[in-house]
């Protein structure tokens, strides 16, 4: 079984979502710690331009975006499903909700609270990532409102837990729990005290503690150079292409996130599923690497 490698850093909230999913499945995996800001000289050769974190590597297959990473983990390791039968839509909907709306509130609440003490180099990097000014004064103004929004999201989650269930979809944890949880973890880790506990929301704090207790599976560590060597020694998996995409096969295309961190990944179109798009890239020193992105939130252009 090829090694599960997660390119990540410990303070990354989207990595925490994946780490909890690895915990739910109790998988063995290796963390490659990547820099928090650019440059990322040991990541970009694998992704072909994508700089965001986390990135999953299995051999010479590279999966960008936590949304696709958790789907791929579930495909390869179907035990303890992240999308339980009959709850697939629920898991996807909670993930979309928590990755966008709840995450936005968390970012504003955190940086509106601690913005004055954030390293200017980090601020400059995130301005380049988003293409927007990192306006600490505006975030400070909005932070009290953002904290009310976090509490409003928490109330919706508490409603779901209202019948006393252990996790959002019932007795067992799934993607929904990981996706909701990492936002509260993010707020607690970076801005302790602003929204740590929700005593007035029955069940929520106990749920948080239960998700914390899941842990991260069997985590090991790997040097970035070793991850590159693993890619060089491996062949990408054979990828299918949906009939609707057959005309793209072999064409030069660019894949890019459409929200932020839009650095294009250019390669030869090499596969697709209802959820993902794949390019093959020839990388000096690594040979052929396949890079996969989610369909949702990513564009494909012919180059
Ligand atoms: N939709 C992406 C968002 C990823 C994201 O925004 N990651 C943050 C870290 S948690 C990031 O890449 N920040 C810039 C960086 O690390 O260079 C996902 O789900 O993976």
């Amino acid at each position: 079984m090829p090694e599960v490698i997660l390119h990540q850093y410990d303070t990354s909230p989207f990595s925490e979502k994946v780490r909890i999913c690895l915990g739910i499945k109790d998988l063995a995996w290796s963390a490659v710690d990547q820099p928090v800001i650019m440059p990322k000289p040991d990541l970009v050769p694998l992704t072909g331009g994508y700089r965001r974190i986390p990135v999953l590597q299995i051999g010479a297959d590279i999966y960008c975006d936590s949304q696709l990473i958790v789907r791929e983990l579930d495909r390869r390791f179907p035990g303890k499903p992240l999308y339980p039968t009959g709850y697939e839509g629920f898991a996807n909907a909670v993930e979309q909700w928590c990755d966008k709306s709840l995450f936005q509130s968390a970012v504003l609440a955190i940086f509106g609270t601690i913005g004055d003490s954030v390293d200017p180099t980090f601020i400059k990097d995130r301005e380049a990532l988003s293409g927007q000014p990192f306006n600490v004064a505006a975030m400070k103004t909005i932070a009290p409102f953002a904290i009310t929004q976090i509490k409003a999201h928490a109330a919706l989650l508490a409603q779901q837990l209202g019948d006393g269930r252990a996790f959002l979809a019932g007795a067992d944890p799934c993607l929904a729990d990981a996706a909701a949880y990492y936002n509260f973890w993010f707020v607690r880790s970076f801005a302790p005290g602003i929204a740590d506990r929700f005593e007035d929301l029955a069940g929520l704090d106990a749920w948080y503690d239960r998700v914390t207790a899941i842990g991260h599976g069997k985590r090991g560590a790997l040097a970035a150079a070793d991850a590159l060597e693993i890619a060089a020694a491996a062949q990408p998996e054979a990828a299918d292409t949906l009939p609707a995409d057959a005309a793209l096969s072999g064409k030069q295309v660019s894949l890019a996130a459409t929200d932020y961190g839009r650095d294009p990944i250019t390669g030869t179109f090499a596969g697709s599923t209802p959820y993902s798009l794949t390019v093959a890239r020839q990388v000096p020193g690594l040979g052929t690497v396949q890079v996969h992105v989610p369909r949702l939130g990513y564009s494909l252009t012919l180059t």
Side-chain angles (χ1 to χ4, degrees), residues 126-138:
R126 292 314 193 249
E127 286 182 331
L129 175 80
S130 65
Q132 310 274 343
F134 193 100
N135 189 336
V136 172

Side-chain angles (χ1 to χ4, degrees), residues 8-183:
Q8 60 117 54
Y9 46 87
D10 284 349
T11 54
S12 151
F14 286 98
S15 300
E16 181 64 9
K17 171 178 147 192
V18 176
R19 291 187 295 251
I20 293 288
C21 289
L22 289 159
I24 290 172
K25 290 186 172 290
D26 199 21
L27 292 177
W29 59 284
S30 297
V32 174
D33 287 327
Q34 291 287 351
V36 175
I37 60 172
M38 291 293 273
K40 305 193 186 193
D42 296 321
L43 179 71
V44 171
L46 288 171
T47 63
Y50 186 84
R51 62 156 287 185
R52 300 194 296 188
I53 291 292
V55 168
L56 173 71
Q57 175 187 350
I58 299 186
D61 281 283
I62 307 297
Y63 300 88
C64 299
D65 200 296
S66 66
Q67 187 198 146
L68 183 60
I69 291 171
V70 296
R71 185 172 288 284
E72 182 61 19
L73 289 174
D74 207 57
R75 185 184 77 81
R76 291 186 185 241
F77 307 98
K80 309 261 180 75
L82 299 174
Y83 310 80
T85 305
Y87 288 84
E88 296 89 339
F90 175 78
N92 286 314
V94 174
E95 181 184 45
Q96 288 297 313
W97 158 27
C98 295
D99 281 2
K100 303 288 176 200
S101 181
L102 174 52
F103 181 68
Q104 260 324 302
S105 298
V107 167
L108 292 172
I110 290 169
F111 290 105
T113 304
I114 63 157
D116 284 333
S117 56
V118 176
D119 182 348
T121 327
F122 176 88
I123 293 185
K124 248 183 128 206
D125 179 85
R126 292 314 193 249
E127 286 182 331
L129 175 80
S130 65
Q132 310 274 343
F134 193 100
N135 189 336
V136 172
M139 288 193 222
K140 268 184 171 168
T141 309
I142 212 166
F145 171 71
I147 295 167
T148 69
Q149 295 306 288
I150 292 171
K151 291 190 175 150
H153 286 290
L156 300 185
L157 294 164
Q159 184 185 20
Q160 177 70 11
L161 297 165
D163 60 3
R165 62 185 59 203
F167 296 103
L168 292 171
D172 297 314
C174 73
L175 170 59
D177 298 284
Y181 169 86
Y182 79 80
N183 286 286

